[in-house]
Amino acid sequence: MKTEIQEWHRARPTPADRTRRSGTRVDQQRRVSVHVAVGAGFVIAALLVTSGLWKDGSRALLSANIPDQVFFQFVLRHALDVLTGDAAPLFTTRMNAPHGVNLMANTVVLGLGIPLAPITAIWGPQISLAVLLVLGLAGTAAAWYWFLRRHVTTSMAAAAAGAALCGFGPGMISQANGHPNWTAQFLVPFLVHRALKMGEPGRWLRNGVLLGLLVTAQAFVNEEVLLYTALACAVFLAAYAVVTWPAQRAAISPVLATAGVAGLVGGALLAYPLWSQFFGPQSFRGLPPGASAYGADLASFGAFPRLSLGGNVDAVRLLAPNAAEENTFLGWPLLAVLALAVAGWLWQRALVRALLVTGVVFAGFATGKQVFAGGERTALPGLWRPLGHLPLLESVVPVRFGLVLLPVAGALLALAIEAVGRLPRRGVGELPVRRLTYALVGLSLVPLVPLPLLTHRGMPVPRFITEGTWRAYVPAGSTLVTVPVTSSSHSDGMHWSAQSGADFAIPGGYFIGPGRLPGTATFGPPPRPTDLLLAAVAEGAKPPRVTARMRDGLIADLRFWRAGALVLSDREPRADVLRKFVNDLVDDDGVRTGGVTVWDAAPLVTPTT
């Protein structure tokens, strides 16, 4: 908007003023040194948070969310295959045989995977994932530091503190548990920057093209983040326009023109990927049952996340859907400090009031379709209820709207720290007012200091896979069927494929695909009888007595999957029980080799004459 630059920069010196004020090259070098130190601090913090992933290298597993970690290992390997010409960019046939998986609808992250392909080729997708988390956390913080310095505050310390909250706040650390696409938000500050430029008169074409290119890039990192960013910018700019009207009237025309150009550029570049996502093979609508109901508990806003100095697992267990979705845990001390700062110093600023409106709206969205408080359902409908059934919005996980609160809180924190710097050094009774206030702000952040992600050492990929023995059992056009069949609970097939780079296809998998009914979605494929039978035994059920009907069901499923072999890892927790059960089921003893037991499926799937 036209006047937002004027208002936001009213107290800021122009570049010429800064040069005159600094006066010497020494001051310029000092500023550069501070910027470098801030960036280095962000990288060190990211390395500390992800230290467990480096300690155990390619075998490190995130204790809180193994399925999503394995999925991203798979798509990082897929990106390498795309680069080498061995795979189609937006679809894979190496999972969910014989149908395949629509990866564009499953966060293919080509915008991250392709740049990291050399690392994946040399050290494997797990190291790529660790690098991605470090770059995501540190890069997001650094990008917000740039943005806050440019648009919000002249204080480098204030910008650094606000950016640290944006990049390492509770929601970001929570998402680092298996969601690297959500921690990689380093394009978001530049998207917001471009949105703020939309009202510039006479520059609608340039601004529109740049915004369209950024939108396209973000779509190949995380479309949901792009959607949230667009909604947040719309709410903020609308609130700011209302607060400062009628000064914004002249900006309407360039804003609409810029948006039109951005839409044309982004639409042209994303036309085929979006068609593939929404109308291509294995496309679907909405989310699997349960995911769309994830909302933030009212008590979570003032609570501390489990991976923080003030966190307590038992205290927050009922306040978030899972450990990877603690997106609204800002802690009551920080909320109290921000409230005092807004009430005492900042309320008169149009920027602050627009930020508060944005924060309140997205806090309401984050509660989802039904409001909960302290783990108990209330009678209040959530703000998201009337919107959650609309096209496109039906694919949103509401609790993730809480991530928008981090940039809002980061900007308010930066403004508060800058305001503290203008307080007198001493007040009544010679109290060190400024130092005490700085200490109060610092103490409010201490409970939110993040702890390292919880990890453990996983099992190695069996030699049967790494040495290529599987090729003797799985000819071209056939699939490798893991026992139990690969799913979110049993991810061996995806893990082996991703870590080894072996090009076998598997039935099942962990992904979102079409459900049994048209217009529905489900995690993994709709289960077949053999899926359910093997999963039940693997998860503790007593093996049933094998019947002819079970064998017929197995043969039908193996033919449907075009199976070449059944493979059971020796590391599977109930390997002995499963081995005996499958021996009885196929009426043949499997072969022990290379850390697995393998049953040749060819005699079972070949029709007898």
Side-chain angles (χ1 to χ4, degrees):
M1 297 295 183
K2 183 176 180 181
T3 61
E4 117 227 358
I5 302 286
Q6 298 170 356
E7 158 130 2
W8 289 18
H9 294 198
R10 186 174 297 156
R12 302 191 62 206
T14 65
D17 291 335
R18 286 202 191 103
T19 301
R20 286 193 297 271
R21 193 170 295 176
S22 61
T24 66
R25 185 174 297 179
V26 173
D27 289 334
Q28 295 173 354
Q29 292 174 342
R30 183 184 65 83
R31 287 197 300 272
V32 171
S33 298
V34 171
H35 299 333
V36 171
V38 169
F42 292 152
V43 172
I44 292 170
L47 288 170
L48 290 174
V49 167
T50 60
S51 56
L53 294 176
W54 299 103
K55 180 181 66 176
D56 289 325
S58 63
R59 288 173 58 180
L61 293 176
L62 291 164
S63 301
N65 191 4
I66 295 174
D68 280 324
Q69 177 184 1
V70 171
F71 173 82
F72 280 102
Q73 289 177 352
F74 186 92
V75 293
L76 287 170
R77 175 67 71 176
H78 173 79
L80 174 60
D81 293 337
V82 169
L83 202 61
T84 58
D86 294 330
L90 309 179
F91 195 87
T92 183
T93 56
R94 293 186 183 174
M95 187 166 43
N96 191 34
H99 297 307
V101 175
N102 187 327
L103 289 180
M104 189 62 198
N106 276 271
T107 316
V108 67
V109 295
L110 290 176
L112 303 172
I114 287 179
L116 289 172
I119 295 175
T120 304
I122 298 171
W123 291 292
Q126 175 53 30
I127 300 302
S128 285
L129 180 69
V131 171
L132 177 54
L133 286 172
V134 169
L135 294 179
L137 293 169
T140 300
W144 279 116
Y145 176 72
W146 170 85
F147 179 89
L148 294 174
R149 281 275 298 149
R150 186 179 182 92
H151 290 291
V152 177
T153 178
T154 60
S155 167
M156 290 183 285
L165 183 61
C166 294
F168 295 90
M172 293 289 283
I173 301 304
S174 175
Q175 292 293 330
N177 280 299
H179 298 159
N181 57 324
W182 278 94
T183 59
Q185 294 187 31
F186 39 75
L187 291 180
V188 171
F190 299 101
L191 283 164
V192 178
H193 170 69
R194 282 289 128 203
L196 296 178
K197 293 283 189 179
M198 292 174 70
E200 285 186 329
R203 309 193 75 176
W204 55 271
L205 181 60
R206 174 181 178 275
N207 288 338
V209 170
L210 290 174
L211 181 58
L213 292 174
L214 275 171
V215 164
T216 302
Q218 180 59 48
F220 286 103
V221 175
N222 190 328
E223 289 176 293
E224 204 172 343
V225 167
L226 177 60
L227 174 62
Y228 290 11
T229 303
L231 292 174
C233 286
V235 171
F236 173 82
L237 292 176
Y240 191 86
V242 168
V243 171
T244 59
W245 195 263
Q248 303 300 335
R249 187 181 292 114
I252 292 177
S253 179
V255 165
L256 294 177
T258 302
V261 172
L264 288 174
V265 172
L269 294 174
L270 293 172
Y272 176 72
L274 292 178
W275 177 88
S276 177
Q277 176 177 348
F278 293 107
F279 304 104
Q282 293 296 293
S283 57
F284 54 88
R285 285 187 55 190
L287 291 171
S292 60
Y294 286 175
D297 192 292
L298 289 179
S300 68
F301 293 93
F304 304 125
R306 66 189 75 192
L307 285 180
S308 69
L309 287 182
N312 183 301
V313 174
D314 294 330
V316 303
R317 195 181 300 277
L318 298 178
L319 304 184
N322 54 59
E325 299 292 354
E326 294 178 352
N327 303 316
T328 53
F329 289 63
L330 295 176
W332 64 264
L334 177 61
L335 293 178
V337 164
L338 294 180
L340 289 172
V342 168
W345 308 314
L346 306 175
W347 175 250
Q348 295 303 318
R349 299 190 61 173
L351 165 62
V352 171
R353 281 176 279 167
L355 284 171
L356 288 175
V357 170
T358 306
V360 169
V361 168
F362 277 84
F365 285 167
T367 60
K369 299 177 181 179
Q370 185 68 47
V371 176
F372 283 75
E376 299 292 333
R377 179 177 180 146
T378 72
L380 298 173
L383 187 61
W384 189 244
R385 177 176 288 185
L387 303 175
H389 301 290
L390 297 177
L392 189 62
L393 299 184
E394 64 187 355
S395 298
V396 163
V397 180
V399 70
R400 292 177 180 170
F401 280 119
L403 291 170
V404 175
L405 301 180
L406 284 179
V408 171
L412 292 175
L413 177 64
L415 289 168
I417 292 174
E418 184 180 54
V420 172
R422 293 195 292 267
L423 290 175
R425 291 183 180 275
R426 300 204 175 266
V428 178
E430 294 300 309
L431 285 175
V433 174
R434 190 186 299 179
R435 289 185 180 180
L436 288 175
T437 310
Y438 275 135
L440 179 64
V441 174
L443 287 173
S444 73
L445 296 172
V446 169
L448 299 180
V449 171
L451 300 177
L453 301 172
L454 299 178
T455 63
H456 64 274
R457 187 173 176 83
M459 296 295 107
V461 178
R463 297 191 315 280
F464 176 78
I465 301 296
T466 58
E467 294 175 358
T469 311
W470 64 272
R471 296 183 185 279
Y473 294 88
V474 185
S478 299
T479 65
L480 187 153
V481 182
T482 59
V483 178
V485 179
T486 302
S487 66
S488 60
S489 302
H490 307 280
S491 55
D492 276 352
M494 292 175 65
H495 179 67
W496 297 347
S497 173
Q499 288 292 85
S500 67
D503 58 355
F504 56 78
I506 58 171
Y510 176 54
F511 59 93
I512 301 178
R516 291 190 186 278
L517 300 177
T520 63
T522 182
F523 286 113
R528 299 183 67 84
T530 303
D531 276 331
L532 299 173
L533 186 61
L534 295 178
V537 175
E539 291 163 15
K542 181 180 178 181
R545 183 176 62 86
V546 174
T547 65
R549 184 175 180 179
M550 283 183 193
R551 287 198 179 99
D552 290 343
L554 170 68
I555 292 171
D557 288 342
L558 293 178
R559 286 175 177 169
F560 173 78
W561 290 325
R562 302 170 189 167
L566 288 155
V567 180
L568 168 67
S569 170
D570 290 347
R571 304 282 188 170
E572 180 68 31
R574 301 194 78 200
D576 291 341
V577 176
L578 282 164
R579 186 180 299 109
K580 183 178 185 306
F581 178 63
V582 177
N583 283 342
D584 293 342
L585 194 59
V586 303
D587 197 23
D588 190 18
D589 289 344
V591 177
R592 301 284 296 274
T593 177
V596 303
T597 303
V598 56
W599 293 265
D600 188 355
L604 297 172
V605 301
T606 303
T608 57
T609 57

